[in-house]
Amino acid sequence: MATPIKLNQLRAFVEINRHGSIRAASRFLSLSQPALTKSIRELEDALGAKLFIRSNQGIHLTECGKGFLQRANLILEELRIAREDIQQSIGLIGGVVNIGVAGSLARTIMPKIITQFHRDYPTVKLRVVEGQLLTMLPQLRQGELDFTVNTYYPGSLDAELSFEKLMEKEYKVIVRKGHPKTHATCLEELVDCDWTMPTPKGTYYRSLFENFSSLNKPPVFSVTCETLMSCMSLVAESDFLTIVAVDVVNEALFDQQFVALNLAEQLPFAIFGLVQRRDTKLTPSGEHLARLFRMYCRD
């Protein structure tokens, strides 16, 4: 008969890896170091494999440990969600909602949504991660993010992620005020410029790359920035160009630093949607936040 795995063993394993040592994990969990060491030894015995390598440089995961970590994280996150689901369903308030958002949304509709959510669930904590979908995949897979509202490129992720379309957005090329190409009217005039862009893999920016490939001389994106803020900071202080959603262009302070170019070519519209794991279920507070995104995005 297989030895059962206990929750305290999973928590010990995850926290030792997260903190990098048994001593730090014991302080975090308020448990003695011998108790944590015993939990890990029992877990390794139950699995029949070593999870950690101990050396003078510290403690590190074995290959088996790396594979088991993702599943252990997911189990603990699913239990947290299940507990909060029941507590919120019977009127007990509390819990945490973890979401990801694209940079353009973080600068535009997100503040209104978060303000409304906080009014509706004042005791529920909210964690927001900003960036491209690609950078959020590990957290989505491990249950550390409940969902993200982001651009999505159909393909290999369809089997594990669900995508609910929320809206489409127009994008424009922007430069700093006083840029030599401020009056450019077509993409061909910009091909020799320096370009910066968030990562093109699996997002709206991938469709942009495909769109640009039809040009006789496609622009070269020499700098990749993982966040919109990094892109815009670089553009504001240099001759680099980037591409942003029209919502960003319409911000009150945009004209103080940037110019949106009026080009003959229509850039492809970005499709934004709510993305989550297919096998996950949101808590009542998480579902309420998703509804707010649906309402504001489709407004």
Side-chain angles (χ1 to χ4, degrees):
M1 181 177 178
T3 304
I5 294 174
K6 301 175 182 178
L7 284 178
N8 68 299
Q9 296 168 352
L10 292 180
R11 291 193 181 95
F13 169 65
V14 168
E15 294 304 332
I16 289 172
N17 175 71
R18 181 174 292 146
H19 290 86
S21 72
I22 293 177
R23 177 182 296 178
S26 69
R27 287 197 299 266
F28 178 79
L29 294 171
S30 299
L31 294 171
S32 68
Q33 293 184 50
L36 283 188
T37 300
K38 180 182 178 183
S39 291
I40 294 302
R41 185 169 60 248
E42 291 175 345
L43 179 59
E44 290 177 333
D45 288 343
L47 294 171
K50 288 292 183 183
L51 300 175
F52 289 111
I53 299 173
R54 298 162 181 81
S55 68
N56 294 334
Q57 287 73 41
I59 189 167
H60 308 282
L61 290 172
T62 63
E63 287 304 311
C64 289
K66 292 175 183 178
F68 187 65
L69 178 63
Q70 180 174 339
R71 296 182 184 276
N73 271 320
L74 187 55
I75 290 168
L76 293 177
E77 284 300 316
E78 286 294 329
L79 283 171
R80 176 189 65 79
I81 292 171
R83 182 178 64 248
E84 293 177 6
D85 189 3
I86 291 175
Q87 291 175 338
Q88 292 172 11
S89 296
I90 64 176
L92 298 177
I93 304 300
V96 181
V97 179
N98 302 283
I99 66 167
V101 293
S104 61
L105 301 187
R107 295 172 63 97
T108 53
I109 65 171
M110 190 192 74
K112 298 176 183 177
I113 293 173
I114 299 307
T115 301
Q116 182 62 53
F117 176 80
H118 186 62
R119 290 196 199 103
D120 299 337
Y121 284 85
T123 61
V124 173
K125 295 180 180 179
L126 181 61
R127 170 175 166 260
V128 181
V129 177
E130 177 188 344
Q132 297 295 307
L133 174 61
L134 186 69
T135 64
M136 300 179 187
L137 284 178
Q139 293 185 74
L140 279 172
R141 286 170 173 149
Q142 295 181 23
E144 296 175 6
L145 286 181
D146 297 303
F147 65 83
T148 179
V149 179
N150 229 305
T151 57
Y152 185 72
Y153 193 95
S156 60
L157 300 176
D158 293 350
E160 60 177 315
L161 301 178
S162 67
F163 175 77
E164 176 188 349
K165 181 179 175 180
L166 298 181
M167 62 181 173
E168 294 185 1
K169 281 188 177 293
E170 181 184 359
Y171 272 59
K172 286 184 173 292
V173 178
I174 67 168
V175 299
R176 64 169 174 81
K177 290 190 72 173
H179 192 285
K181 298 292 186 178
T182 298
H183 301 292
T185 58
C186 66
L187 285 171
E188 294 287 355
E189 297 179 51
L190 307 175
V191 295
D192 292 325
C193 294
D194 294 321
W195 289 76
T196 179
M197 191 87 78
T199 179
K201 300 177 182 178
T203 67
Y204 165 70
Y205 294 99
R206 179 173 172 180
S207 63
L208 277 180
F209 271 73
E210 293 173 352
N211 183 270
F212 288 158
S213 65
S214 63
L215 297 174
N216 292 329
K217 185 180 178 184
V220 176
F221 295 88
S222 54
V223 176
T224 298
C225 296
E226 293 299 337
T227 67
L228 177 64
M229 181 174 291
S230 297
C231 280
M232 295 190 68
S233 296
L234 178 58
V235 171
E237 300 296 333
S238 70
D239 283 343
F240 273 84
L241 285 68
T242 194
I243 296 174
V244 300
V246 291
D247 284 0
V248 177
V249 173
N250 294 332
E251 288 180 0
L253 301 179
F254 179 87
D255 292 342
Q256 293 184 10
Q257 287 186 294
F258 305 101
V259 175
L261 303 185
N262 293 315
L263 303 179
E265 297 89 348
Q266 173 69 65
L267 298 179
F269 277 59
I271 299 176
F272 284 81
L274 191 147
V275 185
Q276 64 184 106
R277 290 199 342 267
R278 288 189 178 276
D279 60 352
T280 193
K281 179 179 181 294
L282 299 178
T283 62
S285 58
E287 184 55 50
H288 181 70
L289 183 57
R291 282 196 298 271
L292 290 176
F293 271 101
R294 293 184 186 104
M295 181 177 69
Y296 278 85
C297 287
R298 293 169 177 168
D299 189 1

